Amino acid sequence: MGANLSDTSGRMSGLEAMPENCVALVLMHMDPPEICKLAGVNRLFRDAASADFIWESKLPSNYLFLMDKVFEFDEKERAMVNLRKKDVYARLCRRNPLNGVSKEFWLDKKTGGLSMAISWKALTITGIDDRRYWNHIFTEESRFQTIAYLYQTWWLEVNGELKFQFPEGRYSVFFRLHLGKPSKRLGRRVCNTEQVHGWDIKPVRFQLKTSDNQHIESKCFLGSPGNWVNYYVGDFTIGSSGSNSLMKLKFSLTQIDCTHTKGGLCLDSVLIQPFPLANEAK
């Protein structure tokens, strides 16, 4: 038994004798959750896992632009100008508000991919302030804590715009919608679908346009009452030459066939997600 303990101690001493730079070079080829897990092995791995060049390789190319957006509404963090790259990565993986509370962005912890969410409050919606047609509902089912509920309308048109700097890659745009009015009764989730109608007669039309002339259109019947669904609008691509410039997006949802009414629809947000994370959203 004593020999086994001695042997284990010897192997551990050898591990701790490894050069820190060598350990850091190995860690650089792992994804962030694996790096953080190995940082708990011993002091050598913890110090190596904090190397700036590791985390800079995980950060998106526009991370300085993203940090400027973080500091824009957080004066306390504006003073933290000497953050290590590990701390920058961790900060960007949090939900970061953009232009107040109606938009936010974050990095995926594993891949570092940039995602965004845009509340219905940042969209232009026909008749949204007319309570005969729309209601604003507070709910825990939205990351923005509120959704827009449509009682009934003849003409539905939802438009949104975004001007932002994206890293190189392919991105997908979705509208997050729900048929039926969700609520809680005696602590349990219930959904009232009595007002759901008209969505199976004609499809909803989705459009996506970019400032570099990418244009995508799609149509889809809305279904699955009682469930939140990410309805796919289309993809756009950021090339290497456009990764350091602002991209303007325009996206819309319309159902303007006035031969019938439609209603019972909840509108939460627009999602923008990088490929391949977008496949999970689909």
Side-chain angles (χ1 to χ4, degrees):
M1 182 174 178
N4 289 338
L5 287 174
S6 177
D7 183 55
T8 301
S9 177
R11 288 199 302 269
M12 203 63 187
S13 297
L15 187 64
E16 292 177 344
M18 293 177 62
E20 184 178 312
N21 285 345
C22 291
V23 176
L25 286 171
V26 173
L27 294 178
M28 188 172 66
H29 296 283
M30 300 180 178
D31 61 44
E34 291 174 329
I35 296 172
C36 293
K37 185 176 181 180
L38 288 173
V41 170
N42 57 29
R43 182 176 179 179
L44 169 65
F45 275 70
R46 183 172 66 252
D47 292 342
S50 298
D52 275 351
F53 73 87
I54 293 179
W55 293 98
E56 189 158 16
S57 70
K58 309 301 179 184
L59 287 165
S61 59
N62 69 334
Y63 78 89
L64 293 176
F65 170 84
L66 298 178
M67 288 305 290
D68 282 342
K69 295 299 180 182
V70 170
F71 293 149
E72 188 175 2
F73 291 96
D74 198 331
E75 293 298 329
K76 290 183 179 179
E77 290 206 39
R78 186 178 291 275
M80 300 169 64
V81 293
N82 294 319
L83 285 175
R84 301 196 65 174
K85 296 298 188 294
K86 178 183 69 173
D87 300 319
V88 170
Y89 189 91
R91 184 63 183 84
L92 292 177
C93 285
R94 291 163 53 183
R95 292 169 53 184
N96 300 287
L98 178 68
N99 298 336
V101 295
S102 60
K103 302 174 186 176
E104 61 184 36
F105 67 89
W106 65 95
L107 299 186
D108 179 72
K109 292 180 180 179
K110 184 174 182 179
T111 66
L114 173 66
S115 295
M116 299 190 70
I118 303 166
S119 168
W120 65 270
K121 289 186 175 182
L123 307 177
T124 302
I125 305 172
T126 304
I128 190 62
D129 294 321
D130 193 330
R131 293 306 176 96
R132 293 174 299 173
Y133 306 107
W134 290 92
N135 188 19
H136 309 165
I137 303 173
F138 291 97
T139 175
E140 296 177 355
E141 297 186 15
S142 168
R143 66 171 59 243
F144 297 104
Q145 305 300 308
T146 178
I147 57 177
Y149 178 72
L150 174 66
Y151 294 117
Q152 179 174 289
T153 190
W154 291 90
W155 181 291
L156 175 63
E157 190 169 2
V158 182
N159 294 289
E161 293 187 4
L162 175 69
K163 196 172 185 180
F164 203 72
Q165 186 183 107
F166 292 89
E168 180 181 359
R170 176 180 164 192
Y171 298 84
S172 297
V173 179
F174 303 87
F175 273 89
R176 186 170 187 258
L177 308 174
H178 181 287
L179 289 182
K181 187 177 182 180
S183 61
K184 281 191 175 182
R185 183 179 301 163
L186 300 177
R188 298 182 62 182
R189 185 186 191 271
V190 295
C191 181
N192 186 339
T193 59
E194 292 180 359
Q195 294 176 318
V196 176
H197 69 284
W199 306 109
D200 56 347
I201 300 176
K202 292 290 181 67
V204 169
R205 181 188 183 193
F206 299 102
Q207 285 196 80
L208 170 64
K209 297 180 180 180
T210 69
S211 53
D212 63 350
N213 298 318
Q214 299 179 60
H215 185 195
I216 302 95
E217 292 188 21
S218 60
K219 293 182 179 181
C220 181
F221 287 95
L222 304 188
S224 191
N227 297 291
W228 285 103
V229 179
N230 293 331
Y231 286 94
Y232 174 67
V233 179
D235 293 348
F236 66 94
T237 303
I238 303 294
S240 57
S241 59
S243 59
N244 293 319
S245 58
L246 294 174
M247 171 71 82
K248 187 175 182 179
L249 306 177
K250 291 185 177 181
F251 35 84
S252 65
L253 175 164
T254 56
Q255 216 303 1
I256 55 177
D257 187 327
C258 293
T259 61
H260 67 283
T261 62
K262 39 267 177 186
L265 173 70
C266 290
L267 172 59
D268 175 35
S269 58
V270 171
L271 300 175
I272 302 175
Q273 293 191 310
F275 186 86
L277 290 180
N279 283 340
E280 299 177 10
K282 292 178 185 178

